[in-house]
Amino acid sequence: MEGHLSIQLTVNGRAVAGEVEPRTLLAHYLRDALGLTGTHVGCDTSQCGACTVLIDGLPVKSCTVLAVQADGSAITTVEGLASGGHAHAVQRAFQERHGLQCGFCTPGVLMLSSWFIQQYPTADDRQIREALDGIICRCTGYENIVQSIARAQEIQRENQAPLAGEAREGVSS
Amino acid sequence: MIPAAFQYERAFSVEEALTALASDPDAKLLSGGHSLLPMMKLRLARPTKLIDITRIPELCTITIESDRISIGAAVRYHQVAGDRRLADVMPLLGEAVRVIADPQVRHRGTIGGSAAHADPASDLAAVFLASEAEFRVLGPRGERRIPADGWYVAPLVTTLEPDEMLMGIDFPRPLSSRQTYLKFPHPASGYALAGVAALLSLDAEGRVRKASVAVTGAASMPFRAEAAADRLLGQTLTKDVVREASELGSGEGEYTGDVQYSALYRQNLARVMIQRALERLVQA
């Protein structure tokens, strides 16, 4: 198509190739071309963070990234969080601690949180609140979101805790 | 919201970028895009072509030499925040970058993008001015080095010519060892209502040998508070000296009130924030 550019991405582990207009936003490409409607567009002005996805492992606001800018990158959306039929630690934690009400911002919050607990596995509540700076949730008042992220850190630790025998070896190394 | 249609070109070298820029007077360079794309979505900007410079290797590096620190124009905020060498030689920069916007924005936004966009409340403007940064610019007429004092012309206007490209920003070394950036964010937008970058060196007797203070956000343009620095020079940092320097420094801005904050409030806030920044350096 005239004026269209070819892009190649890896989206949730799957290779994807497409033709896009340069002005196509990544959020729209994911939703409209790939049918991945888990990524929500909230404010559309890079304030609210509902559209947060991971590009090469880092959370970014996909309403402010052109699809062509992401050419060659690996994208993870909320659809790609669970693996092998198992919910991700943040998904389990948000369910357990009721970290959402209407759920509109939740895909973005989950993506940010998945990066955050990996990057800062022992962050305290103050640091968690700071990390949520780029997320606007109009329902929860953030209380349960903060608790959910703290719970996700615990789940991550439990998941990573090696079996008893391996743990002893791990300590000595 | 979708931007008006434009062409997209990815440059892999500085030459490619400059050629593309010269071929279209309405072309714009695209780095992180976190100021440009929102303006294009609102149709406040309608470039006909975007030239993506983020894959030009030499624009993406941080170099630390004995006499200077060079940050490539396309270096992203999170790279600066996470650079340990930089934290040793210029903690001020990491301190300022960590309070820009939010984590997602810091993963995209770039140092050069901030400089070229020239928002009058940009956190980095205060850092550039206070640390006497130099902007390295390349264009058809060759290379120019523009001191921070000569960079900011008006809100969103710099001395960069349309056919020129910002290559990177250099900070001269050695920098004063006591340095800080202190920000009073707007409660809604998070932009600096007043942000102060300050650098100080003291001699063996505890007297100020070198001082530099700059303020962003409070006045209509970021400015260097020369009178504050002059008041501090040769002095011991007593409460009175710090108070007077803050008073003099805040007096150098040109303040305009808006519906929320009067000019008087803004000037007072600049004074308070200069004082707090200096107090922090006294304790450092």
Side-chain angles (χ1 to χ4, degrees), chain B residues 61-112:
Chain B
T61 53
I62 298 173
T63 316
I64 299 173
E65 288 168 76
S66 58
D67 61 342
R68 80 175 92 159
I69 298 161
S70 299
I71 314 277
V75 168
R76 300 186 199 271
Y77 298 138
H78 79 98
Q79 288 174 267
V80 168
D83 193 301
R84 295 228 173 116
R85 300 164 306 153
L86 210 47
D88 285 338
V89 296
M90 192 179 176
L92 167 65
L93 197 56
E95 209 182 336
V97 158
R98 274 188 287 275
V99 296
I100 295 174
D102 55 56
Q104 295 100 305
V105 171
R106 292 194 289 270
H107 286 139
R108 295 297 293 176
T110 64
I111 303 295

Side-chain angles (χ1 to χ4, degrees), chain B residues 139-196:
Chain B
R141 293 164 302 284
E143 188 178 302
R144 295 199 289 152
R145 302 179 78 85
I146 305 169
D149 282 331
W151 179 258
Y152 296 98
V153 176
L156 310 186
V157 182
T158 70
T159 42
L160 186 70
E161 297 291 339
D163 56 357
E164 287 180 321
M165 173 165 159
L166 176 61
M167 302 286 294
I169 292 155
D170 288 359
F171 301 94
R173 290 185 72 192
L175 288 159
S176 297
S177 61
R178 293 172 189 242
Q179 32 180 283
T180 195
Y181 179 71
L182 200 59
K183 174 179 185 173
F184 189 98
H186 185 287
S189 74
Y191 273 90
L193 209 45
V196 174

Side-chain angles (χ1 to χ4, degrees), chain A residues 77-159:
Chain A
T77 69
V78 71
E79 289 92 342
L81 267 185
S83 65
H86 296 286
H88 188 280
V90 294
Q91 291 171 310
R92 278 177 54 196
F94 273 70
Q95 188 177 29
E96 282 180 28
R97 295 295 148 97
H98 199 64
L100 60 133
Q101 286 178 35
C102 87
F104 189 85
C105 70
T106 309
V109 183
L110 290 176
M111 297 319 292
L112 179 86
S113 306
S114 69
W115 161 79
F116 182 75
I117 63 166
Q118 201 182 13
Q119 193 74 13
Y120 305 99
T122 57
D124 60 22
D125 279 10
R126 188 188 58 78
Q127 292 166 311
I128 292 174
R129 284 176 190 277
E130 245 177 56
L132 290 168
D133 199 11
I135 294 288
I136 295 179
C137 168
R138 295 295 76 169
C139 303
T140 60
Y142 303 97
E143 280 304 321
N144 285 11
I145 293 181
V146 173
Q147 288 174 25
S148 299
I149 296 175
R151 173 64 189 137
Q153 292 174 321
E154 282 174 20
I155 295 174
Q156 180 176 247
R157 276 195 291 276
E158 288 161 15
N159 288 348

